[in-house]
Amino acid sequence: MLGRVGAAVGEVARASVEVGPHAGAHRVALRAGVSVLVPLAVLVLAGRVDLTPYAAFGAMTSLYGRHHGHVDRSGMQLGAATAFTATVGLGVLAAALPGQHAWLVVLVGALVAGAGQVLADALAWHPPGSTFLVFAFCVCASIPGLGLLDVPLALAVSALSAAFSLLVGHVGVLRDRTGYRVPTLPAMSVRTALGTPARRRWVAVVLGCALVGGSACLLVRFEHPYWGIVAAVAALGGADHRTRLVRAVHRAVGTVLGVLVAWPLLAAHPRGLAAVAVVCVTQIGAELFIGRNYALALLFITPLALMISQLAHEQPVGPLLLDRVGSTAVGAGVSLVAVVALLAARRTPS
């Protein structure tokens, strides 16, 4: 038994330092960078920095279908754009509710994680899973001072930003000699996504890890318990349990290193177009490495996420960074324990 555990640990350790091939990542990174740069810059120049988080989440539409042709990619992005816009609206609606609602954010965030997993499976999204949807909901739901009148404005900004991402994704049409085809939404098959006991169990695992990760962070009084939800869901985004173990390790280690990168950037307190530049550069860096080594990508993902959080609601840098490390460690740890338990159950004779 110990030998088998040691071999598994060694395999995960080796996989954690592997760097995959480039595989045209620069094209994806360029699309993502342009998609986020233009909407955020327009809002900053218009004096509406408060709306930039909604635009940033709409721009995440550009991250979907990186390995697909432009028509299939655009079809996948149509589904993602719709989901992001709805999730942003749900988050702002939650923020507009009166009173303290940290537990509501955790509960609904976990439900978004489970529902997003079903949606991602039904529409065959790439990247898979519900990480970005959870992030979008939780950040928007945690912005203070919002009211019900902010909901339609947030929906409009997110939808317009997502539409711009779709336009950027269509640039490939200009060099496609096979002729233009109108993209369509992929056929949704919730029955397929939940069609087997294994798929239903996995959705329950995602929802449960999100709920436990967020609740644990809330109980130990972390200021951003939703980071525990995001970390838990992100670690479960791999195609198999081995990949999920690697992602959990990457998430924890990469976040610590990413915080060291974020520290001087946030300590400089970038404003306006300087903040937009940080978001754009880190988005490009994340896309250059996300398919090659998740820990390296987190050197960019961490400052990117923190910068978006600061745009939404600026906070003291030191406590923010410590909270990021602690919440991420809890969320990634929850998923790591869950995956190890699933592996042990699979290998235990009945």
Side-chain angles (χ1 to χ4, degrees):
M1 178 65 178
L2 290 177
R4 189 166 59 192
V5 171
V9 170
E11 184 180 357
V12 169
R14 285 191 297 274
S16 294
V17 297
E18 292 176 352
V19 179
H22 182 270
H26 63 286
R27 291 188 292 272
V28 183
L30 181 60
R31 288 198 300 265
V34 172
S35 294
V36 75
L37 172 64
V38 173
L40 266 63
V42 168
L43 288 171
V44 167
L45 293 174
R48 294 305 306 262
V49 177
D50 58 310
L51 301 178
T52 53
Y54 314 134
F57 292 125
M60 286 184 178
T61 298
S62 65
L63 307 182
Y64 287 79
R66 61 185 295 141
H67 298 306
H68 293 67
H70 72 266
V71 174
D72 291 336
R73 179 174 64 246
S74 296
M76 186 180 297
Q77 288 179 351
L78 277 171
T82 304
F84 273 119
T85 302
T87 304
V88 165
L90 180 63
V92 175
L93 180 62
L97 296 176
Q100 299 295 318
H101 57 285
W103 279 107
L104 176 65
V105 173
V106 169
L107 176 60
V108 179
L111 293 174
V112 169
Q117 182 67 47
V118 175
L119 187 63
D121 289 344
L123 296 178
W125 276 355
H126 187 276
S130 55
T131 304
F132 297 127
L133 292 179
V134 171
F135 183 40
F137 167 77
C138 290
V139 168
C140 293
S142 301
I143 299 175
L146 296 181
L148 291 177
L149 293 179
D150 292 297
V151 175
L153 185 58
L155 287 170
V157 170
S158 181
L160 287 172
S161 179
F164 179 73
S165 294
L166 284 166
L167 180 63
V168 172
H170 256 64
V171 170
V173 171
L174 299 176
R175 56 184 176 81
D176 189 345
R177 299 179 180 178
T178 62
Y180 179 70
R181 291 183 292 124
V182 176
T184 58
L185 279 168
M188 182 181 292
S189 178
V190 175
R191 179 178 296 179
T192 300
L194 295 173
T196 66
R199 285 181 178 272
R200 291 192 290 272
R201 281 195 298 270
W202 183 245
V203 172
V205 168
V206 172
L207 193 156
C209 286
L211 183 59
V212 172
S215 299
C217 289
L218 199 57
L219 288 172
V220 297
R221 298 185 182 279
F222 284 132
E223 291 296 321
H224 301 82
Y226 67 82
W227 281 340
I229 302 176
V230 175
V233 175
L236 297 174
D240 52 46
H241 287 336
R242 172 185 172 277
T243 307
R244 290 161 190 149
L245 290 175
V246 172
R247 283 179 68 89
V249 173
H250 278 186
R251 188 77 192 188
V253 174
T255 295
V256 172
L257 298 176
V259 160
L260 297 178
V261 175
W263 191 355
L265 291 175
L266 298 185
H269 299 289
R271 298 286 192 278
L273 292 178
V276 172
V278 171
V279 171
C280 180
V281 171
T282 50
Q283 181 70 81
I284 290 172
E287 290 310 301
L288 286 173
F289 289 98
I290 191 70
R292 307 181 69 191
N293 183 287
Y294 189 45
L296 290 177
L298 279 158
L299 296 178
F300 301 93
I301 292 171
T302 303
L304 169 64
L306 289 167
M307 193 69 249
I308 291 175
S309 295
Q310 289 292 73
L311 287 171
H313 174 49
E314 189 168 0
Q315 299 155 80
V317 173
L320 181 73
L321 298 180
L322 290 174
D323 206 54
R324 175 74 178 190
V325 172
S327 299
T328 298
V330 170
V334 167
S335 290
L336 186 65
V337 170
V339 173
V340 169
L342 289 170
L343 284 170
R346 177 186 295 177
R347 291 170 179 170
T348 301
S350 56

